[in-house]
């Protein structure tokens, strides 16, 4: 059971022999070089869990860390500031999309009637298309401050 769960990389430099004197704190100058990490590495020692690779990151690093002074954009961010305006715009958009779908359906009928030679019905259909366009134009003109 003395074997490490992460075998030593044969290409890695050999670590210096452990001194027999009491261990001195490791500084960045005396620490061994960090390996180059690529996701999904063939070297298992590089695929360790985050808490093993970075022991300085603790579960309380977010809210307990004194270096963090601001946690985000602030209260109310991302919420609707004017729900009435949003509801009105959604209703107008729904009506406009309904009219556009009706125009596409009407255009299909008009073209079919025109191709069969029934031009009277085709002209009535063309009138329907113009009227539905005027309805959309009226919805657009209802409240100019929303644009």
């Amino acid at each position: 059971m003395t074997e490490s769960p992460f075998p030593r990389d044969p290409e890695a430099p050999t670590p210096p022999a452990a001194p027999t004197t009491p261990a001195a704190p490791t500084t960045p100058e005396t620490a061994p070089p960090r390996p180059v990490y690529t996701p999904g590495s063939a070297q298992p020692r590089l695929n360790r869990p985050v808490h093993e690779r970075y022991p300085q990151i603790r579960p309380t690093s977010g809210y307990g860390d004194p270096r963090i002074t601001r946690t985000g954009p602030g209260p109310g961010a991302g919420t609707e500031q004017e729900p009435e305006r949003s509801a009105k715009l959604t209703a107008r958009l729904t009506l406009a999309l309904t009219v556009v779908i009706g125009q596409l359906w009407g255009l299909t009928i008009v073209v079919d009637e025109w191709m069969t030679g029934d031009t009277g019905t085709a002209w009535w259909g063309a009138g329907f298309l113009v009227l539905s366009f005027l309805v959309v134009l009226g919805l657009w003109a209802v409240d100019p401050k929303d644009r």
Side-chain angles (χ1 to χ4, degrees):
M1 203 81 190
T2 60
E3 197 174 294
S4 170
F6 304 106
R8 191 178 162 316
D9 185 8
E11 297 172 6
T14 56
T20 56
T21 60
T26 306
T27 62
E29 295 83 28
T30 61
R34 291 187 176 186
V36 177
Y37 175 71
T38 56
S41 178
Q43 302 174 13
R45 66 188 175 85
L46 299 177
N47 294 326
R48 295 177 297 180
V50 173
H51 67 274
E52 288 181 16
R53 282 186 282 150
Y54 304 103
Q56 69 273 22
I57 299 176
R58 293 180 287 290
T60 59
S61 289
Y63 62 87
D65 195 341
R67 297 173 292 178
I68 298 175
T69 57
R70 294 180 179 85
T71 59
T79 60
E80 183 57 54
Q81 302 296 322
E82 298 180 55
E84 295 85 11
R85 181 175 180 268
S86 176
K88 184 170 45 170
L89 291 175
T90 302
R92 284 174 42 194
L93 181 65
T94 303
L95 284 172
L97 288 175
T98 304
V99 170
V100 167
I101 290 170
Q103 284 179 328
L104 291 172
W105 172 76
L107 184 62
T108 304
I109 300 298
V110 167
V111 169
D112 187 39
E113 291 299 317
W114 184 269
M115 297 302 267
T116 58
D118 191 3
T119 56
T121 307
W123 283 112
W124 280 107
F128 166 77
L129 292 175
V130 169
L131 181 66
S132 63
F133 175 75
L134 292 174
V135 167
V136 172
L137 195 61
L139 287 172
W140 179 76
V142 166
D143 200 2
K145 68 178 177 136
D146 275 342
R147 283 181 244 121

